[in-house]
Amino acid sequence: MAQTAASILVVDDEAEIRHVLRVLLESEGFSVTEAASGEEALARFTPDTDLVILDVRMPGISGYQVCLRLRERWNVPILFLTAKTQDSDLTMGFSAGGDDYLAKPFSYPELMARVKGLLRRYHVYKGKPDEENDPYIERHGLRLNCARNEVWQAGRELNLTEKEYRLLRLMLLHRGKLFSAQNLYESVWEEPYLPASSNTVMVHIRKLREKVERDPKHPEVIQTVWGKGYRIG
């Protein structure tokens, strides 16, 4: 069966947790790749990965940041491992693009129910993206070429900085999704979010609007949801 050949990336800074997950998953016939950090996870992820089991809190790049990075391009299901089930943690995980969560300590039946459910929905309803064959995103009169990092509007190429391009690409790939300033900062700048970081995001959004909006003072492309964040409809 297809599920027995599924490739799963397990990401946790605790070796014991990774070992337990490997033993349980391989006993069901899954192929397991381990990563001990967020950086290692991004390096070991491949387009053939069918599921990512991702610890929320790790030194360096957090699980949230890894999830945001993966969501820029891939719709692979992501199962968060968390020692907490507080609403704030769950909200942040789902906002970053996570599909489900599993609280530590977990049982074998709980793990398998989550894993098999996510894999089943992924293969039946989602499938994998075909960006290699269709690298263009078009919306609001903008044409973004993901393969060449170019943005065009009305036949004119826009001169965007790297950060402006990444902000626009992230929001266009997830149209309708509301991104908090923290979501955007950790994904685009790839650094821990600090109180002053919201100003950095705000300035870059303002400059981006000056380039993509007909009237930057009354934006139609990049919408602000006051007190919550930004989105492209």
Side-chain angles (χ1 to χ4, degrees):
M1 296 177 60
Q3 283 190 355
T4 60
S7 175
I8 300 177
L9 176 61
V10 172
V11 189
D12 198 299
D13 60 321
E14 295 184 42
E16 183 178 352
I17 295 293
R18 296 198 309 274
H19 175 72
V20 168
L21 287 168
R22 173 182 285 278
V23 170
L24 295 178
L25 293 168
E26 287 185 342
S27 72
E28 291 285 329
F30 297 114
S31 173
V32 177
T33 300
E34 295 183 29
S37 66
E39 293 87 346
E40 190 177 358
L42 293 171
R44 295 198 170 189
F45 178 86
T46 73
D48 294 324
T49 302
D50 295 291
L51 172 69
V52 179
I53 299 179
L54 182 60
D55 186 30
V56 166
R57 302 189 182 278
M58 296 181 290
I61 300 178
S62 71
Y64 299 131
Q65 291 171 288
V66 172
C67 184
L68 285 165
R69 290 280 298 278
L70 292 178
R71 281 290 174 261
E72 289 184 14
R73 186 171 184 186
W74 308 107
N75 64 356
V76 60
I78 295 175
L79 173 63
F80 275 120
L81 285 181
T82 175
K84 301 180 179 180
T85 54
Q86 297 167 337
D87 289 344
S88 59
D89 290 306
L90 300 183
T91 298
M92 190 169 180
F94 289 129
S95 178
D99 295 282
D100 203 350
Y101 75 93
L102 186 62
K104 302 177 186 176
F106 51 83
S107 69
Y108 175 77
E110 284 180 310
L111 172 67
M112 289 307 155
R114 298 288 203 284
V115 167
K116 292 180 178 179
L118 288 171
L119 287 171
R120 182 171 57 251
R121 292 195 294 272
Y122 180 52
H123 288 294
V124 173
Y125 298 110
K126 293 185 177 180
K128 296 188 177 181
D130 193 21
E131 289 190 304
E132 291 82 4
N133 296 325
D134 185 13
Y136 295 100
I137 305 172
E138 297 189 57
R139 187 76 170 177
H140 295 293
L142 298 168
R143 181 177 173 86
L144 189 148
N145 186 331
C146 297
R148 301 180 63 180
N149 291 7
E150 296 174 346
V151 181
W152 296 76
Q153 186 179 56
R156 176 176 61 92
E157 184 178 1
L158 302 183
N159 183 24
L160 303 186
T161 66
E162 178 191 359
K163 294 294 190 295
E164 290 166 354
Y165 170 81
R166 292 187 62 183
L167 282 168
L168 182 64
R169 181 176 184 272
L170 177 62
M171 289 189 285
L172 280 174
L173 279 172
H174 302 280
R175 293 186 295 274
K177 176 179 171 62
L178 179 62
F179 288 92
S180 68
Q182 181 170 353
N183 292 156
L184 293 174
Y185 188 82
E186 292 185 343
S187 177
V188 173
W189 277 263
E190 301 175 21
E191 297 175 359
Y193 181 82
L194 300 172
S197 303
S198 61
N199 290 330
T200 301
V201 173
M202 183 173 62
V203 169
H204 279 75
I205 290 290
R206 185 178 73 241
K207 290 182 177 178
L208 180 57
R209 280 174 169 159
E210 291 173 356
K211 298 177 181 181
V212 304
E213 303 279 2
R214 288 184 297 178
D215 181 0
K217 293 184 179 179
H218 300 89
E220 299 175 351
V221 179
I222 304 173
Q223 305 165 0
T224 297
V225 179
W226 295 108
K228 295 183 178 180
Y230 306 92
R231 68 182 172 201
I232 292 180

